Amino acid sequence: MFTLMFRLSQNHTRIIHCKANSKFCSQPESCSHVAVDTLTRIINDHPFPEQPLQPTLLHRLPPSTISTSLVENVLGRLFASHSNGLKALEFFNYSLAHSPFPPSPASFNMTLHILARMRYFDKAWTLLRDIARTHPSLLTLKSMSIVLSKIAKFQSFEDTLDGFRRMEDEVFAGRVFGADEFNVLLKAFCTQRQMKEARSVFVKMVPRFMPNAKTMNILLLGFKESGDVTSVELFYHEMVRRGFSPDGVTYNIRIDAYCKKGCFGDALRLVEEMERRNISPTIETLTTLIHGAGLVQNRGKALQLFNEILSRNLVADTGAYNALITALVRTKDIEYALSLMDVMVEKHIELDSVTYHTMFLGLMRLRGIEGVSELYQKMTQRKFVPKTRTVVMLMKYFCQNYRLDLSVCLWKYLVEKGYCPHAHALDLLVTGLCSRGLVQEAFECSKQMLERGRHMSAAAFLMLERFLLQAGDIDKLKELDQMIKKLQSVLPPSRGHATGISTSRVIM
C-alpha cells in the first residue's frame, strides 16, 4: 500500500491509500499474462547497471519455460513501456542462447527498435551483424526499415545513405537489392517528413532501382504527411505521367490529404472518381472520410458514412469506431461517444490507446475532472495501459486539477504493470509533488525511474535538488547524484538529461 498525505489547508489533511494490486486487479489474469507481467516487472526493476540481468533470468526463467510467444510478448511490453534498451537486448540474447525454440522476426525487430529508439546504434549494428551470421532468417525488410528510419531521425542525411550501404554490404550480404530495398530507404526519409532528401535520393538512385507502384505511393504518402496538398497533387500527376496507374492506396492517401486540410467536399469527389475507375472504397477509405467529416464537424455525414460500412459489406474495426468517436467528441456529443465504447466492449472490438486518448480529451472539455476520473478507473480496471502521450496528458491534467492522489496512483499503476513511465510524466509529477511539499514522494518516484535504467530530465532534477536542499536531505540528493552518474557511464549522451548535482553547497 502506498499512502500519501495531502495538506489542503492548515486544518485539513486528505489521506489517500493507493492500492495498486487490489484496486486495479479486480479480474483474474491468465497464467501467460501473469508470466509476461511478472517478467517485465523483473526486468524493469532489476538494478541497472550494478548487476547483469542474466543470473536473475536463469533463476526466474528456466530455459524449459521459454517459448517464442513469451519472448515476443515480453519484448513487446518492454518496447511499449520505454524500458532500457540494454536490458531488452540482454533478455533477447538470453532467449537466443537458452530457448529450445527459435525467436520470431517480431522479437528481433522489437529489440532493434528499442535499441535504435534510444540511439544505441553501435549495439544495433552489432546485433544486426550477429543475427546475419547466426540466424539470417530473422532479417527482414522491417529490420532494415526500423534502423534506417531512426538514423534518418537522429543523424544526418549522409549517415542514412551510409546505413543503407552497410545494410547491403554487411548485413544482407549476397542479397541483390532491388525496388523493395529502395522503398525502405525512401520510406526512412518520408517517415521523418524529409521530402527534399527523399526527392534527392529518388532522382539519384532511380536509374539503379526500377520504381514500382509502392515506390510512388511511399513518396505520395510522404508529401501528404508534410501537410502540403498541392505537393500531393503535383506528385500524383507526375506518377501518372510516369505511367503508374493509381490504386486504392493512392486514392486513400489523396482523400486523407484533403480531409486533414478540411477540404471534405474534394475528398468526397475523389471517392466518386475512385468508383468510376472501378476501385472499391475500403474500410480505410470510409474511416478516413468519417474522420474528415468530424474535422468539419459534420456529425450527420459521419454517422451516414459509418452506416455505409455495413451496406458495403465491410466490417467496422477499432479504427472506424475511433473515427466516429472523434467526430462525436468534436461535435460535443459525449454521451453517444461513451455509449459507442460500451458497444465496442460488447462486440469484443478492441479499445486501443486512440480510443481512450480521444475520450479523455472530450471529457476534459465537457465533464471535467470527475468524468476523466471515472473513465480512468474503468481503464485501469480493464488493465489497459495507454501509450506515452496519454499518460503524459493524464499526469498533466491530474496535477493541474490538484488531484495528485490520481497522479501518484497512475504512476504506481504503471510501475506495478511492469512499465517504466516516460521522463515527461516524471517531470510533471515531480513538479506537482514538490509544489505541494511532498518531496519524499517525488524523490521515491525519481529513484524508481533511475533504478530502471532511464534518465530523468535536468529540469526535474534541479527542482528536486532545490527542495531536498531546503529540507536538508543531503543524503537523498547524493544518492540520486550517484545513480545519475552510473547511468552516464553506460548510456549514450543526450540533451536535456540530468548530469548530477549543480550546486557547490553540497559537500561531496
Side-chain angles (χ1 to χ4, degrees):
M1 179 159 37
F2 194 72
T3 304
L4 288 178
M5 299 181 66
F6 288 87
R7 290 179 287 278
L8 301 179
S9 67
Q10 288 183 330
N11 302 318
H12 296 86
T13 301
R14 182 196 298 166
I15 301 179
I16 303 296
H17 300 288
C18 192
K19 301 180 182 179
N21 288 327
S22 60
K23 183 174 182 180
F24 299 120
C25 301
S26 58
Q27 310 237 347
E29 295 178 316
S30 67
C31 291
S32 60
H33 197 181
V34 170
V36 171
D37 281 352
T38 302
L39 277 171
T40 306
R41 194 158 49 245
I42 288 169
I43 293 168
N44 267 331
D45 290 352
H46 191 76
F48 181 89
E50 283 102 354
Q51 302 172 22
L53 180 60
Q54 189 160 140
T56 299
L57 291 174
L58 279 169
H59 176 66
R60 302 296 294 270
L61 185 62
S64 61
T65 65
I66 305 174
S67 68
T68 301
S69 62
L70 178 66
V71 173
E72 192 172 312
N73 287 330
V74 170
L75 284 166
R77 185 70 66 80
L78 293 173
F79 173 77
S81 65
H82 287 267
S83 299
N84 181 289
L86 298 182
K87 290 185 179 184
L89 177 62
E90 198 167 352
F91 172 73
F92 176 76
N93 285 335
Y94 175 82
S95 70
L96 204 63
H98 296 284
S99 174
F101 306 102
S104 67
S107 296
F108 170 62
N109 288 336
M110 277 184 280
T111 307
L112 263 185
H113 207 152
I114 294 169
L115 290 171
R117 183 175 62 186
M118 293 188 70
R119 309 185 201 189
Y120 293 140
F121 289 114
D122 289 343
K123 297 285 186 183
W125 282 113
T126 300
L127 180 61
L128 280 166
R129 288 191 294 268
D130 289 345
I131 291 298
R133 187 180 67 257
T134 61
H135 296 78
S137 62
L138 298 183
L139 293 171
T140 62
L141 291 175
K142 179 70 173 176
S143 314
M144 188 190 304
S145 179
I146 287 167
V147 175
L148 292 183
S149 293
K150 292 305 178 184
I151 293 175
K153 179 176 182 178
F154 295 122
Q155 298 186 337
S156 68
F157 172 70
E158 290 75 18
D159 288 330
T160 310
L161 292 181
D162 184 60
F164 184 69
R165 179 196 58 77
R166 292 178 68 181
M167 288 288 182
E168 189 171 16
D169 295 344
E170 302 173 18
V171 180
F172 293 86
R175 174 171 174 162
V176 179
F177 273 29
D180 290 340
E181 291 76 15
F182 181 46
N183 289 344
V184 170
L185 177 60
L186 289 175
K187 186 179 179 182
F189 292 114
C190 291
T191 301
Q192 304 305 323
R193 302 179 185 179
Q194 298 173 5
M195 295 314 297
K196 288 182 179 179
E197 291 82 351
R199 257 300 200 181
S200 172
V201 169
F202 178 75
V203 171
K204 180 180 178 181
M205 302 178 76
V206 77
R208 179 186 171 194
F209 300 106
M210 184 66 66
N212 54 25
K214 187 174 182 180
T215 311
M216 311 310 284
N217 282 332
I218 286 171
L219 289 166
L220 191 69
L221 181 62
F223 285 115
K224 188 268 291 185
E225 290 298 324
S226 67
D228 188 345
V229 176
T230 302
S231 295
V232 170
E233 287 304 294
L234 287 172
F235 188 75
Y236 168 73
H237 290 295
E238 179 180 335
M239 65 182 283
V240 171
R241 284 197 306 272
R242 286 177 176 268
F244 291 94
S245 297
D247 56 15
V249 175
T250 309
Y251 274 102
N252 286 342
I253 293 169
R254 294 173 68 203
I255 289 167
D256 194 29
Y258 280 111
C259 284
K260 285 182 175 173
K261 281 297 181 181
C263 305
F264 187 61
D266 292 322
L268 291 175
R269 282 190 286 275
L270 276 180
V271 177
E272 295 173 359
E273 178 185 320
M274 183 180 183
E275 292 182 303
R276 285 197 300 271
R277 289 175 174 262
N278 293 319
I279 301 174
S280 298
T282 61
I283 185 65
E284 289 79 15
T285 313
L286 290 173
T287 298
T288 300
L289 289 170
I290 294 166
H291 186 70
L295 289 174
V296 296
Q297 299 193 19
N298 191 334
R299 177 183 180 278
K301 190 63 178 178
L303 289 168
Q304 178 192 328
L305 288 162
F306 188 81
N307 291 331
E308 273 188 38
I309 293 174
L310 182 61
S311 65
R312 289 179 180 270
N313 296 318
L314 299 170
V315 178
D317 57 8
T318 299
Y321 274 94
N322 285 345
L324 183 56
I325 287 172
T326 301
L328 293 169
V329 167
R330 282 182 171 272
T331 55
K332 300 183 180 180
D333 194 346
I334 199 73
E335 290 292 341
Y336 195 176
L338 286 168
S339 70
L340 273 183
M341 288 186 75
D342 295 333
V343 170
M344 292 173 73
V345 172
E346 290 169 10
K347 292 186 175 182
H348 303 289
I349 298 171
E350 179 190 10
L351 301 174
D352 65 7
S353 199
V354 174
T355 318
Y356 282 108
H357 193 86
T358 304
M359 285 306 311
F360 279 127
L361 279 174
L363 290 167
M364 287 174 186
R365 290 197 297 264
L366 301 172
R367 286 197 178 175
I369 187 65
E370 295 307 320
V372 172
S373 176
E374 184 178 346
L375 180 60
Y376 165 73
Q377 299 297 339
K378 287 183 179 179
M379 180 185 75
T380 52
Q381 286 164 8
R382 291 170 180 150
K383 310 213 181 309
F384 184 83
V385 179
K387 290 188 177 180
T388 296
R389 68 169 186 155
T390 308
V391 170
V392 172
M393 179 180 73
L394 286 174
M395 194 70 76
K396 182 178 182 179
Y397 189 73
F398 290 154
C399 290
Q400 286 177 339
N401 284 272
Y402 308 105
R403 290 301 304 271
L404 292 176
D405 54 319
L406 291 175
S407 298
V408 174
C409 281
L410 173 58
W411 181 274
K412 291 291 291 180
Y413 173 68
L414 295 170
V415 171
E416 287 293 329
K417 292 293 286 181
Y419 282 70
C420 182
H422 197 275
H424 291 328
L426 181 67
D427 290 353
L428 294 162
L429 186 56
V430 166
T431 301
L433 290 171
C434 287
S435 66
R436 300 294 294 275
L438 300 165
V439 183
Q440 176 61 34
E441 289 77 8
F443 166 77
E444 291 295 338
C445 293
S446 300
K447 187 177 174 181
Q448 284 177 330
M449 171 75 84
L450 295 169
E451 285 173 340
R452 283 158 177 74
R454 297 304 308 269
H455 283 298
M456 64 184 296
S457 73
F461 179 77
L462 286 171
M463 173 168 288
L464 193 52
E465 178 184 52
R466 179 161 59 88
F467 279 90
L468 286 172
L469 285 173
Q470 288 175 0
D473 286 335
I474 306 300
D475 289 341
K476 289 186 175 66
L477 182 57
K478 289 181 178 180
E479 184 178 357
L480 291 180
D481 181 71
Q482 290 171 359
M483 295 175 76
I484 288 168
K485 286 182 167 53
K486 282 181 182 178
L487 284 182
Q488 286 177 332
S489 68
V490 292
L491 297 184
S494 183
R495 288 179 299 176
H497 288 158
T499 56
I501 293 173
S502 63
T503 174
S504 59
R505 285 186 293 165
V506 180
I507 307 298
M508 302 302 292

